[in-house]
Amino acid sequence: MTRVLVVDDEPDFRRALAVTLRSHGYTVVAAADGDEALQLAAEVPPDLVVLDLGLPVLDGIGVLTRLRAWSTVPVLVLSGRSDSADKVDALDAGADDYVTKPFGIDELLARLRVMERRVSSDAESAPVSLGNVRIDAGARRVTVGAEEVRLTPTEWHLLDVFLRSPGRLLSQRELLAEVWGPGYETAQGNLRLYMAQLRRKLEADPSRPVHFVNEPGLGYRFQP
Amino acid sequence: MTRVLVVDDEPDFRRALAVTLRSHGYTVVAAADGDEALQLAAEVPPDLVVLDLGLPVLDGIGVLTRLRAWSTVPVLVLSGRSDSADKVDALDAGADDYVTKPFGIDELLARLRVMERRVSSDAESAPVSLGNVRIDAGARRVTVGAEEVRLTPTEWHLLDVFLRSPGRLLSQRELLAEVWGPGYETAQGNLRLYMAQLRRKLEADPSRPVHFVNEPGLGYRFQP
DNA sequence: GGCGGTCCTAACGCACCCCTAACGCCGCTC
DNA sequence: GAGCGGCGTTAGGGGTGCGTTAGGACCGCC
């Protein structure tokens, strides 16, 4: 299920858009202003973002800039202004698409499908096996041999990030920003703790990790 | 240099667009009809495609469909029709963006930059091969033959600088300033040390370097 | 109110990485 | 052939990052 974050300050418009998106199979999270949007995006990272430019206090470009500091989620910008300079500013600030109000809902849905294609082509979730450890991320289930192992929400969150980029080295900044949200990039002790937890539960010999390897000074790598 | 394939049947428009794109640093290949476009795309795969929908014989949607059979290159569709159904058709057929004529050239360029961002972020993980040594800077991973070689943070940092400018001679001042920061331009012993480390880990015969060559009195050169 | 579970902070060894210094070698200059 | 500067190599000490443990704060549930 694709999760969409809708950011717009007009309650009626926001609600109408949310209803339409839900009727087309999306899971919708709505925010009324920039701060709420950033907070929601950090707590439960969405798959797509629909962002209105005309927000009070923190405007759309501001939201986009701060979001892009740690996230690469596709963002579709909505705006009442069709001025070319506005479009260029938003697109160069990190937006993936720009639609001017009023717009046809069919076009918006089609453009969302384009962004969805890109996301889903990256993420494919099939069960992973490490020796006698089986990880089924979709079903939120881990079994070691015959017996089941329980993971806490934070452990799952961390494991998800690794499953998304197998073999790649993930810097501590990336991991911290992804799991604990932006602003927690300095809580390294936390990351060390949960890496130990994952290893204790998923590695055959936790003191000699094979699948969750640390590269000193760089970060951690998940080896399937 | 980003390669753009421009497909449009109107010679004047095609030429004008090509000139504009070239003046903004793109390498442009132009095609006047669908068959020529597909042939060119197959011969020398472009990084981006700008496709007019109103082509004779094989129309834009047809080109898009055949292209998508084997290529995932980003495609920006141009069209004189602003009808919502046309946009939906093109986007669902595999287009990444849809711009209606007449359009502001600034907007088109901004939208091309968006697609360019995506291509370059994917191509970030393009591994480099030196003999039986494989360097994947994106995944932070180096393998010599079958076994993996670990590099320290400073070694990676230094290697990154070389990978960014292959074949170019880099002065010691440049290297020192880039890796150790400005002010460390005199710590040449340091640089010699880490060059030795890189050679020991990446050269087949470290005492006779082939890829990391010193030019006495000048600096070092990376030969892929 | 008691209790199990989860999450976070702080502190302590230990290993490893980075830097400095010194020495031998080669090629260039005179 | 002697002197010199630049380069490659080795060894050792200081510092930092990592794994680990213990303890307390917070929340939901019985």
Side-chain angles (χ1 to χ4, degrees):
Chain A
M1 189 87 93
T2 308
R3 191 168 35 237
V4 184
L5 172 61
V6 174
V7 191
D8 199 305
D9 60 322
E10 300 169 38
D12 291 344
F13 182 88
R14 188 171 68 238
R15 236 168 276 147
L17 188 54
V19 168
T20 306
L21 291 178
R22 286 202 184 94
S23 75
H24 283 83
Y26 292 100
T27 304
V28 179
V29 182
D33 60 55
D35 289 323
E36 189 186 353
L38 289 172
Q39 194 179 338
L40 282 174
E43 283 169 6
V44 198
D47 301 308
L48 305 175
V49 176
V50 177
L51 173 66
D52 189 279
L53 270 197
L55 296 176
V57 193
L58 180 61
D59 72 348
I61 296 285
V63 175
L64 197 49
T65 307
R66 303 201 187 185
L67 189 66
R68 278 289 174 258
W70 63 276
S71 170
T72 60
V73 59
V75 174
L76 186 149
V77 162
L78 293 178
S79 170
R81 311 186 54 170
S82 61
D83 192 357
S84 184
D86 290 322
K87 298 186 185 179
V88 171
D89 288 345
L91 293 170
D92 281 341
D96 293 86
D97 206 341
Y98 189 107
V99 176
T100 55
K101 299 185 193 176
F103 53 84
I105 189 65
D106 289 337
E107 178 184 347
L108 183 75
L109 289 169
R111 288 187 182 273
L112 284 178
R113 283 196 293 276
V114 170
M115 303 204 301
E116 209 180 343
R117 274 206 302 264
R118 194 157 76 249
V119 176
S120 64
S121 69
D122 299 346
E124 56 211 66
S125 54
V128 181
S129 285
L130 319 171
N132 61 350
V133 179
R134 231 175 61 88
I135 303 171
D136 190 338
R140 292 271 104 129
R141 178 180 209 118
V142 173
T143 53
V144 179
E147 60 188 309
E148 188 162 346
V149 175
R150 287 194 43 228
L151 266 59
T152 70
T154 310
E155 290 164 5
W156 271 116
H157 203 157
L158 182 57
L159 182 56
D160 277 338
V161 182
F162 281 112
L163 291 175
R164 214 178 305 145
S165 305
R168 239 201 89 203
L169 185 120
L170 297 164
S171 73
Q172 347 211 15
R173 292 189 70 86
E174 283 181 82
L175 292 166
L176 285 164
E178 188 72 34
V179 177
W180 282 271
Y184 280 77
E185 283 93 351
T186 53
Q188 302 172 10
N190 230 318
L191 180 58
R192 292 198 297 244
L193 186 73
Y194 277 89
M195 285 309 300
Q197 301 268 31
L198 276 186
R199 295 209 257 238
R200 193 174 312 157
K201 294 185 178 180
L202 302 178
E203 291 273 6
D205 182 357
S207 63
R208 287 236 238 291
V210 178
H211 299 108
F212 297 90
V213 194
N214 169 261
E215 308 251 351
L218 297 171
Y220 293 87
R221 184 195 307 279
F222 170 57
Q223 295 271 34
Chain B
M1 190 85 94
T2 308
R3 297 173 44 90
V4 183
L5 171 61
V6 174
V7 191
D8 199 305
D9 61 322
E10 300 170 37
D12 290 345
F13 183 86
R14 189 172 66 239
R15 234 167 280 146
L17 188 52
V19 168
T20 306
L21 292 179
R22 286 202 186 93
S23 76
H24 283 82
Y26 293 99
T27 305
V28 179
V29 182
D33 60 56
D35 290 323
E36 188 185 356
L38 289 171
Q39 193 178 338
L40 282 173
E43 284 170 5
V44 195
D47 301 307
L48 305 175
V49 175
V50 178
L51 173 65
D52 189 280
L53 270 197
L55 296 176
V57 194
L58 179 62
D59 72 349
I61 296 284
V63 174
L64 197 48
T65 307
R66 304 200 185 189
L67 189 66
R68 278 287 174 262
W70 61 274
S71 171
T72 60
V73 59
V75 174
L76 186 150
V77 162
L78 293 177
S79 170
R81 310 185 56 171
S82 60
D83 192 359
S84 185
D86 290 321
K87 298 186 185 179
V88 172
D89 288 346
L91 293 170
D92 282 341
D96 292 85
D97 207 342
Y98 189 106
V99 176
T100 55
K101 300 184 194 176
F103 54 83
I105 188 66
D106 290 335
E107 180 185 346
L108 183 75
L109 289 168
R111 288 186 182 273
L112 284 178
R113 282 195 293 275
V114 170
M115 303 204 300
E116 208 179 345
R117 274 205 303 263
R118 196 158 70 246
V119 173
S120 64
S121 73
D122 292 349
E124 176 191 338
S125 57
V128 180
S129 283
L130 318 172
N132 61 350
V133 179
R134 231 172 56 90
I135 303 172
D136 191 336
R140 288 271 109 115
R141 164 172 257 176
V142 173
T143 53
V144 179
E147 60 188 311
E148 189 159 347
V149 176
R150 283 190 43 225
L151 267 57
T152 69
T154 311
E155 290 164 5
W156 272 114
H157 203 158
L158 182 57
L159 181 57
D160 278 338
V161 180
F162 281 113
L163 290 175
R164 215 178 304 145
S165 305
R168 206 169 79 82
L169 178 82
L170 296 164
S171 72
Q172 339 210 19
R173 292 189 70 85
E174 282 182 82
L175 291 166
L176 284 164
E178 186 72 32
V179 177
W180 283 271
Y184 280 75
E185 283 93 352
T186 53
Q188 302 172 11
N190 230 319
L191 181 57
R192 293 200 296 255
L193 183 75
Y194 277 91
M195 286 309 301
Q197 300 268 32
L198 277 186
R199 295 208 259 238
R200 191 178 315 159
K201 294 185 178 181
L202 302 178
E203 291 274 5
D205 182 357
S207 61
R208 285 218 237 296
V210 178
H211 299 108
F212 298 90
V213 194
N214 170 261
E215 309 250 350
L218 299 173
Y220 293 87
R221 185 193 306 276
F222 170 57
Q223 296 275 28

